[in-house]
Amino acid sequence: MYHSILIFFWKPPRVAGEMDNASQLKEEGNKYFQGNDYENAIKSYTKALKVAKDKSLQAVLFRNRAACFLKKENYAQAASDASRAIDINASDIKALYRRSQALEKLGKLDQAFKDIQRCATIEPRNKNFQETLRRLGASIQEKVSTMFSTDARVQQMFEILLDEKSEKEKREKAANNLIVLGREEAGAERIFQNNGLNLLLRLIDTKNPELVLAAIRTLSGMCTDHKARATAILHMLGIDNICLWMSTNHEEISLAVSNLLQAIIDSLTGEGKKEEHGKEDALVLDTKKDLKAVTMRLLDMLPNKKVSGQGRDRALNLLNKNIPRKDLRIHDNSRTLFVIDNGLKKILKVAGQIPDMPNCLPLTENTQLTASVLLNKLYDDLRCDPERDNFRLLCEEYIQSKIDPQDMDKTLHAIQTVSGVLQGPFYLGNKLLGMKGVMEMMVALCGSEREIDQLVAVEALIHASTKLSRATFIITNGISLLKEIYKKTQNEKIKIRALVGLCKLGSAGGTDYGLRQFAEGSTEKLARQCRKWLCNPAIDTRTRKWAIEGLAYLTLDADVKDDFVEDEPAMQAMFELTSDKTILYSVATVLVNCTNSYDVKEIIPELVQLAKFSKQHVPEEHPKDKKDFVSKRVKRLVAAGVTSSLVCMVKADSAILTDQTKELLARVFLALCEDAKDRGTIVAQGGGKVILSASYFRCTEVGKIKASHALAKIAAISNPDIAFPGERVYEVVRPLVSLLNTERDGLQNYEALLGLTNFSGRSDKLRQKIIKEKALPDIENYMFENHDQLRQAATECMCNLVVNKEVQERFIADGNDRLKLLVLLCGEDDDKVQNAAAGALAMLTAAHKKLCHKLTEVTTQWLEILQRLCLHDKLNVQHRGLVIVYNLIHADQELAKKLVESEMLEILTIVGKQADDPQRQHVLKVARECLVKFMDYGMIKPISKKNED
């Protein structure tokens, strides 16, 4: 009988190898940490934790990673990692101290106190622990006393506000104090805990506008950055009540409620939450249901006749801001799909309203354009063709339901809806124009006797003729209708719209001088009429803005641009009308055209010749589009105060100020900053702040680049303390660094480097900010550039940066050629490069003796280069060369000996013996001090007068 034998081969675990690997990764993380590269340090420690089996090593890794998170101000994660280290070793004093630091930053003072108390118990003689213990104890006592005093203050404020007999001044003061208290974490929590919500609702029920505003603004502060409190407030107030308050005709109250709802949405979605807050990380709230309820209620407001025009605008703005994805790289667009399925037809109803018709919903001048912007954002947020097809089918279904040959009023709504879509997602609007009967109905309405029919049809034709291909159809089929309407109608509203239609068709060739649609002089006549209407205050604002719309197209013609900037009353009238947000895009377009700040395709001569040979059309430049004419137009605009107008435009907090409009404004600012003489005026009128906001905030990528370039132009020549006062100057650094990119052009690189050079010469805090934005590697790369000006600008920037200790450490570190590069740049033929490189070397060698030794080792040409500097015909370069020699002599006697044994002694003697000269005295002084040091070392002796004779 045979028995099967199962043999197990035991393999010893590879603990040693794993330990080695984990230890290596830990050491790697330590090096990153010492070099202030906390992101890579975290990655190394995380990798080490995955392979480390030893508990004590795990504890070290957790507490090290906690230190990194502390540096990155991610306090919640720092506390978590420190806790995991403490779980392994309860007496880990470093982990306890780091958790205490993190908990203090998170506002959990009592828990932080307990941890530092344990630290002080383990090491009672540690002064740092004892000091922290005293400080935290005092903070806790202060917090407790503040809590009790806050409760009393809150109660007192509500008593004053709810007492009708209270003096007006007392009530106003109490209301303002309540708002301030609601914005503070401790104050907001005390109001919330002490029946504050019910008291705030009582204030709202008084219907007194001042008390209502105070209550709503206090609620906004309480909801900001606090998910749990925002959720509770939303449920207690009720979304129906919030939307009812927002529907009021009182503009301030409507805006305040809109801000409250935005604060609630931000808290529910986590938008704007600062990392250091982290106090609710353990609290899990499912907010999707609440967000859906808010969205549905906002959509229900749109077609509701009881909602005011202000309220409808607020609802549209909130949808615009919160529904589409802010970053298209995020995959989830479910909020957009939800709105399309449940509210697209409601948005279309708003877009299709005709203000002059009975039963029109209450609207403001901004409502319909805001609805068009929302349609555009929703359409752009779709990810695939099926989603776009669904959007189109819903639009077609809605428009088809409105077309009724027996009911002209209903059909007008259909055409107006198409106009609304054309102002939003234009390509979709073009498809809707292709629906059966739509274009024919538009042309038929033009011939109607009713003025309202003509008004709607002309506007629809204007919006339909944005693209040249569509304009060609209208030129052949509808231009005669527009001319006829223009001649026959007595209604100024229709006349001006018909004129704008003609303006638009007349500019269909764009800036191409050879593609003029109308006869010579016709475009100028149209423009003159537009300017005449624009300057006529007797015409209503809504009609005058159409004149600007016409000029937005006509100013593509250079003759019209020149005439417009010469007509100061017309410019001032346009600037005054910018308070109407619906014309922001048109005004921006006029300014872009006048400054020629649109993109122009580069004309390659060889291709032009080829096109002529093959009898193809070649674009022609208008003589007045040449640089001299453009510069004169820009000067006229600056003198007319265009900067102040642009500042007001950018301040408009509305969905109508789209990313595309911001891009146009950024283009105009860049054109205005072209001449260095105008930059002071732009800064004085508030342009610097506005350009900075355009470079930072949501804008197209092109717009951010243009704004950053305009900032670079200002930063290059302005005093940063005046151009960007206070903390704003530190915000300018990032846009400048963004231009140090191989994808940007040489001029952008160069002016960004000039701006950084100017900034780096101001203060060490600014130098530190430049380093923090990781600009050093890019600046070093440009020092290798073949382009002389780029290399010069980068070297000058580095010359200013070497004053910083962190930069100096980079030069001291082994294994790099930074010092060698500077020495070789001192040997360049370019005086400015030599001057900057020599200045950097002079400061480095003055700061560190080690660099004096290193300088003589990096290249065999060092002595020859130094000699050339000391004999340079430019006094600045010569002075810096002599300072380097002076630093080498003072650093070490051996280095001094090398210099004495070379021709340097003869050079110093020749320079030092020269007669005193006020202009050269600083050079002579350094040379003589070098010789004196040689004498002190006993390497040379002074020559007596007797020997000289």
Side-chain angles (χ1 to χ4, degrees), residues 140-424:
I140 290 168
Q141 286 297 322
E142 187 182 342
K143 187 178 178 182
V144 170
S145 60
T146 302
M147 195 181 295
F148 286 116
S149 65
T150 302
D151 288 347
R153 281 168 60 204
V154 169
Q155 196 62 39
Q156 188 183 13
M157 282 178 223
F158 278 118
E159 285 174 6
I160 294 169
L161 290 169
L162 291 168
D163 183 2
E164 292 180 5
K165 296 177 183 178
S166 297
E167 294 175 18
K168 188 180 178 183
E169 283 185 18
K170 274 190 175 181
R171 291 181 87 174
E172 284 179 3
K173 188 176 179 181
N176 289 331
N177 287 341
L178 193 65
I179 294 166
V180 171
L181 207 60
R183 290 173 182 164
E184 297 170 359
E185 175 57 32
E189 194 59 31
R190 299 322 299 165
I191 295 171
F192 186 75
Q193 296 291 347
N194 291 327
N195 196 35
L197 281 184
N198 288 325
L199 294 171
L200 289 168
L201 280 170
R202 283 178 62 189
L203 288 179
I204 293 170
D205 289 339
T206 62
K207 300 290 194 299
N208 181 324
E210 289 179 7
L211 297 182
V212 172
L213 277 170
I216 290 168
R217 286 169 179 165
T218 304
L219 287 165
S220 292
M222 292 169 68
C223 291
T224 302
D225 291 340
H226 202 294
K227 186 185 286 187
R229 201 158 51 225
T231 305
I233 289 171
L234 176 63
H235 289 173
M236 288 183 76
L237 298 181
I239 183 62
D240 289 341
N241 282 331
I242 295 172
C243 290
L244 183 65
W245 300 333
M246 195 163 70
S247 302
T248 180
N249 273 313
H250 194 291
E251 188 174 353
E252 271 194 281
I253 292 176
S254 180
L255 178 60
V257 177
S258 173
N259 291 336
L260 165 62
L261 199 46
Q262 185 61 59
I264 291 171
I265 293 168
D266 284 345
S267 294
L268 295 184
T269 56
E271 290 286 332
K273 186 178 178 184
K274 298 175 185 175
E275 282 187 13
E276 61 263 36
H277 282 188
K279 299 177 188 177
E280 302 174 77
D281 285 5
L283 191 63
V284 179
L285 294 168
D286 185 10
T287 58
K288 289 181 182 177
K289 190 176 178 182
D290 288 329
L291 288 168
K292 274 191 177 181
V294 170
T295 305
M296 276 305 299
R297 194 65 190 83
L298 290 173
L299 289 170
D300 289 341
M301 286 178 70
L302 301 183
N304 189 337
K305 285 189 177 181
K306 294 180 181 177
V307 175
S308 68
Q310 293 282 354
R312 210 175 316 279
D313 281 4
R314 306 296 177 210
L316 285 166
N317 280 328
L318 285 166
L319 290 167
N320 261 307
K321 189 171 183 181
N322 298 292
I323 298 305
R325 291 169 292 169
K326 291 180 175 61
D327 185 349
L328 293 179
R329 289 173 294 184
I330 298 168
H331 190 264
D332 182 20
N333 68 338
S334 56
R335 284 186 290 190
T336 293
L337 298 177
F338 177 79
V339 167
I340 290 168
D341 290 339
N342 294 278
L344 180 58
K345 291 183 179 179
K346 294 172 184 176
I347 301 166
L348 289 170
K349 182 172 181 177
V350 176
Q353 292 298 298
I354 302 167
D356 299 326
M357 293 283 283
N359 298 321
C360 177
L361 295 172
L363 305 172
T364 70
E365 58 193 14
N366 302 324
T367 307
Q368 289 179 281
L369 187 55
T370 310
S372 295
V373 170
L374 177 56
L375 289 170
N376 189 51
K377 287 188 174 181
L378 293 173
Y379 191 76
D380 286 346
D381 200 41
L382 299 176
R383 294 186 293 111
C384 57
D385 288 342
E387 290 178 358
R388 294 185 193 95
D389 288 341
N390 178 54
F391 193 104
R392 176 179 55 79
L393 288 169
L394 287 169
C395 290
E396 287 179 355
E397 187 182 307
Y398 180 82
I399 292 164
Q400 201 66 53
S401 70
K402 296 292 177 185
I403 295 177
D404 185 354
Q406 305 303 317
D407 187 344
M408 193 54 73
D409 288 353
K410 204 173 176 185
T411 303
L412 273 179
H413 281 290
I415 301 302
Q416 184 77 339
T417 304
V418 174
S419 277
V421 177
L422 283 164
Q423 292 175 79

